[in-house]
C-alpha cells in the first residue's frame, strides 16, 4: 500500500486517458479517486472509464473511489443575427424572453428565473466574467442593462448572476438522467453543481436515496453564505474555484477557500480544493511556480484532497501532472512546520467517546514514534473522526465494506483494507498488527495504535484504544 502521502488526489478522466493501463499508472503515481465529468462525453464513454477503474481496483486490490460530477443548469444568452456583437462601455443592452436573434441593442435571455430575480442595481456577468452589465430597469419580460465592461459577445455565451438567488433547481432534466445512469453504474460519490441553499442538498439526497455519497460544490456566493448548513447536510464539500472565481472578486477566493477548509474540518466533512491547480501542465511538462505554490497552500491549509481537471482529462501530460502533484504534497507534508500548522487549526472535539479516542490517538502519535493508527470501522464514521484530528501517523482503516472503503478514498490520511472476515474478528489486536505489517505500514519493533468498538462490528461504537508493538 502506497500510504506515503496524506492529502489525496482526485483526477478527472477524459479522452487523454485511453485504457486501464493508463489509469493504473495514475494510481501508482498517487491518484486515490477519479472524477467522471458529465458536462462532457457520452454515457458510453463514462461507462468504459468506470470499468477501467474497477479493473485496476481489482488488479491492485486497492479501493479506488469514483465521483460523478453533474453539470447543473447552464445559463446562457441566445443567438445573434450575425453571430456576435461588440458591446461598448456605457451603452444600453436589453435582455428579454424574445427568441428572435439579437443585435448590439438586445439579445434573448431564455431564463425567466433570471429576469424574475434581477433588480435594478444588480450585476450580470457574461462569458466567464469577461463582460459586466448593470441592471438599470426591470420589465415583466425583460431587463434593461448598462454595459460596464464591454467587449465581444457571441452566441450562447454563459451568464452568471452573483447577486441573486435564482428559483432554480440545481438538477436539470439532463442531470436527472445522468444521475440515474451513474447510480446504476455504481459511482461512489455524486458532486452537485449550482448549489445555492441547503434545500438543494435535500432535493439531491432524495433522488440519490443512499446509493452514493453527496459532495456539494461551492461555486455560488449564496452557497458561501449558507456554507455551514450545506456542509452539515452533505458528506463532503468541493471548493469549485472556477465559477466561484467568476462570481466573487478574485482577491476574495483565497480567503473563502480558507474559510471553507476550516469549516469542513470542524464539521468532520472532507473538503476538496479544485480548479486550475496545475493548469499550465495541460500543454507543458512543468508547472508554473505560482501553481506549485497554490497546491502547496491548499495542502498546508489542511485540505483533504486536491483535484486535477483538464490537466488529466484532456491534457498532454496527465501522468507527469499527477507525479508533480504527488511531489508537492509530499514536500509540504515532510516540512518541519506542517504538523504544527495542522495542530494550530485543530477543531473543537465533541463530547463523544469517538472524539475522545480520536483526540487521544492524535496526541499519542505526536509523543510516540507511531508507525500507523489502525481503526476498525464498519461505516467509516470513526475513521473520518480520526482523520479530522490530522494525526501525525497514517490511518489504516479496516472494514468489511468496500462501499465504505471507496468513500474514504477522499479523506485525509486514510488508507483502507477490505476483508469480509473483519465482521467477525475475534483477535482484534493480532489481526490489526498482521494487516498493518502485510500492507507495509508497520514493521517489527514499531508501535501501532489500534482503535475498535465493543460490541465489535457495531457502527458508532468505537470505545477502545490499544498501543502495541509489532513483534
Amino acid at each position: 500500500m502506497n500510504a506515503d502521502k496524506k492529502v489525496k488526489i482526485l483526477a478527472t478522466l477524459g479522452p487523454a486517458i485511453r485504457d486501464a493501463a493508463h489509469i493504473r499508472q495514475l494510481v501508482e503515481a498517487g491518484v486515490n479517486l477519479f472524477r467522471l465529468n458529465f458536462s462532457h462525453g457520452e454515457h458510453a464513454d463514462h461507462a468504459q472509464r468506470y470499468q477501467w477503474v474497477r479493473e485496476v481496483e481489482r488488479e491492485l486490490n486497492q479501493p479506488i473511489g469514483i465521483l460523478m460530477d453533474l453539470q447543473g443548469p447552464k445559463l446562457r444568452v441566445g443567438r445573434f443575427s450575425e453571430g456576435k456583437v461588440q458591446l461598448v462601455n456605457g451603452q444600453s443592452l436589453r435582455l428579454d424572453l424574445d427568441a428572435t436573434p439579437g443585435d448590439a441593442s438586445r439579445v434573448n435571455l431564455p431564463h425567466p428565473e433570471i429576469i424574475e430575480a434581477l433588480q435594478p442595481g444588480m450585476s450580470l456577468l457574461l462569458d466567464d466574467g469577461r463582460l459586466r452589465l448593470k441592471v438599470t430597469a426591470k420589465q415583466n419580460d425583460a431587463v434593461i442593462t448598462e454595459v460596464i465592461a464591454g467587449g465581444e459577445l457571441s452566441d450562447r455565451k454563459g451568464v452568471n448572476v452573483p447577486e441573486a438567488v435564482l428559483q432554480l433547481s440545481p438538477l436539470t432534466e439532463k442531470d436527472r438522467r445522468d444521475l440515474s445512469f451513474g447510480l446504476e453504474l455504481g459511482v461512489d460519490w455524486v458532486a452537485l453543481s449550482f448549489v445555492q441553499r441547503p434545500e438543494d442538498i435535500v432535493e439531491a439526497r432524495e433522488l440519490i436515496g443512499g446509493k452514493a455519497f453527496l459532495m456539494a460544490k461551492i461555486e455560488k456566493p449564496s452557497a458561501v453564505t449558507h456554507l455551514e448548513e450545506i456542509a452539515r447536510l452533505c458528506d463532503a464539500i468541493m471548493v469549485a474555484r472556477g465559477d466561484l472565481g467568476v462570481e466573487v472578486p478574485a482577491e476574495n477566493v483565497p480567503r473563502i477557500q480558507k474559510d471553507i477548509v476550516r469549516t469542513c474540518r470542524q464539521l468532520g466533512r472532507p473538503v476538496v480544493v479544485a480548479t486550475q491547480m496545475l493548469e499550465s501542465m495541460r500543454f507543458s511538462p512543468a508547472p508554473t511556480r505560482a501553481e506549485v505554490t497554490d497546491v502547496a497552500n491548499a495542502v498546508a491549509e489542511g485540505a483533504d484532497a486536491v483535484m486535477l481537471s483538464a490537466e488529466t482529462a484532456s491534457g498532454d501530460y496527465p501522468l507527469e501532472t499527477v507525479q508533480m502533484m504527488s511531489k508537492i504534497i509530499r514536500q509540504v507534508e515532510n516540512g518541519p512546520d506542517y504538523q504544527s500548522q495542522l495542530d494550530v487549526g485543530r477543531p473543537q472535539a465533541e463530547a463523544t467517546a469517538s472524539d475522545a479516542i480520536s483526540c487521544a490517538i492524535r496526541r499519542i502519535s505526536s509523543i510516540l514514534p507511531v508507525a500507523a493508527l489502525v481503526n476498525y470501522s464498519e461505516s467509516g464514521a470513526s475513521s473520518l473522526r480520526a482523520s479530522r484530528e490530522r494525526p501525525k501517523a497514517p490511518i489504516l482503516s479496516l472494514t468489511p465494506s468496500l462501499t465504505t472503503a471507496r468513500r474514504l478514498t477522499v479523506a485525509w490520511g486514510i488508507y483502507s483494507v477490505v476483508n469480509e472476515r473483519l465482521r467477525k474478528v475475534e483477535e482484534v489486536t493480532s489481526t490489526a498488527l498482521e494487516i498493518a505489517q502485510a500492507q507495509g505500514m508497520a514493521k517489527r519493533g514499531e508501535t501501532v495504535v489500534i482503535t475498535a468498538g465493543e460490541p465489535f462490528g457495531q457502527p458508532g461504537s468505537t470505545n477502545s484504544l490499544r498501543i502495541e508493538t509489532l513483534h
Side-chain angles (χ1 to χ4, degrees), residues 221-447:
S222 54
V224 175
T225 302
H226 298 289
L227 173 63
E228 185 167 336
E229 299 162 84
I230 289 170
R232 287 185 184 278
L233 290 169
C234 66
D235 300 299
I237 290 287
M238 180 187 292
V239 190
R241 303 181 304 177
D243 282 325
L244 184 63
V246 171
E247 299 214 2
V248 304
E251 65 273 17
N252 291 355
V253 173
R255 176 186 56 78
I256 292 172
Q257 175 176 310
K258 288 178 183 291
D259 290 345
I260 294 173
V261 171
R262 182 171 57 250
T263 299
C264 288
R265 187 174 170 197
Q266 177 61 49
L267 296 176
R269 300 293 189 273
V271 57
V272 180
V273 176
T275 317
Q276 297 179 329
M277 302 218 77
L278 294 175
E279 180 74 9
S280 67
M281 290 193 74
R282 291 175 62 192
F283 310 112
S284 168
T288 67
R289 304 303 179 267
E291 289 168 338
V292 171
T293 302
D294 180 37
V295 175
N297 284 339
V299 173
E301 288 167 6
D304 288 81
V306 284
M307 191 179 97
L308 296 167
S309 301
E311 300 99 323
T312 52
S314 59
D316 295 335
Y317 301 95
L319 178 58
E320 292 83 355
T321 303
V322 172
Q323 290 170 335
M324 175 56 66
M325 185 165 267
S326 292
K327 289 177 185 177
I328 298 167
I329 292 170
R330 292 190 188 98
Q331 187 68 23
V332 175
E333 291 181 349
N334 292 328
D337 57 350
Y338 176 65
Q339 194 63 45
S340 60
Q341 283 181 302
L342 293 179
D343 289 345
V344 168
R346 188 172 67 254
Q348 183 70 35
E350 295 180 6
T352 64
S354 179
D355 269 16
I357 288 175
S358 296
C359 289
I361 62 174
R362 177 195 59 79
R363 186 68 177 138
I364 290 168
S365 70
S366 69
I367 296 171
L368 299 176
V370 176
L373 306 169
V374 183
N375 178 51
Y376 285 87
S377 183
E378 178 93 19
S379 67
S382 58
S383 294
L384 286 172
R385 296 311 284 184
S387 170
R388 172 180 179 264
E389 291 295 317
R390 303 295 192 257
K392 191 173 182 179
I395 302 163
L396 175 57
S397 179
L398 306 184
T399 179
S401 168
L402 181 56
T403 298
T404 293
R406 288 169 173 168
R407 173 191 183 186
L408 296 176
T409 54
V410 76
W412 186 99
I414 300 177
Y415 290 84
S416 299
V417 169
V418 181
N419 194 314
E420 273 294 323
R421 73 187 180 97
L422 294 173
R423 293 187 190 277
K424 299 180 180 179
V425 173
E426 295 179 359
E427 295 297 332
V428 171
T429 299
S430 60
T431 302
L433 294 175
E434 173 191 327
I435 294 176
Q437 184 175 24
Q439 294 295 327
M441 294 182 70
K443 54 183 182 288
R444 288 185 179 182
E446 291 188 324
T447 301

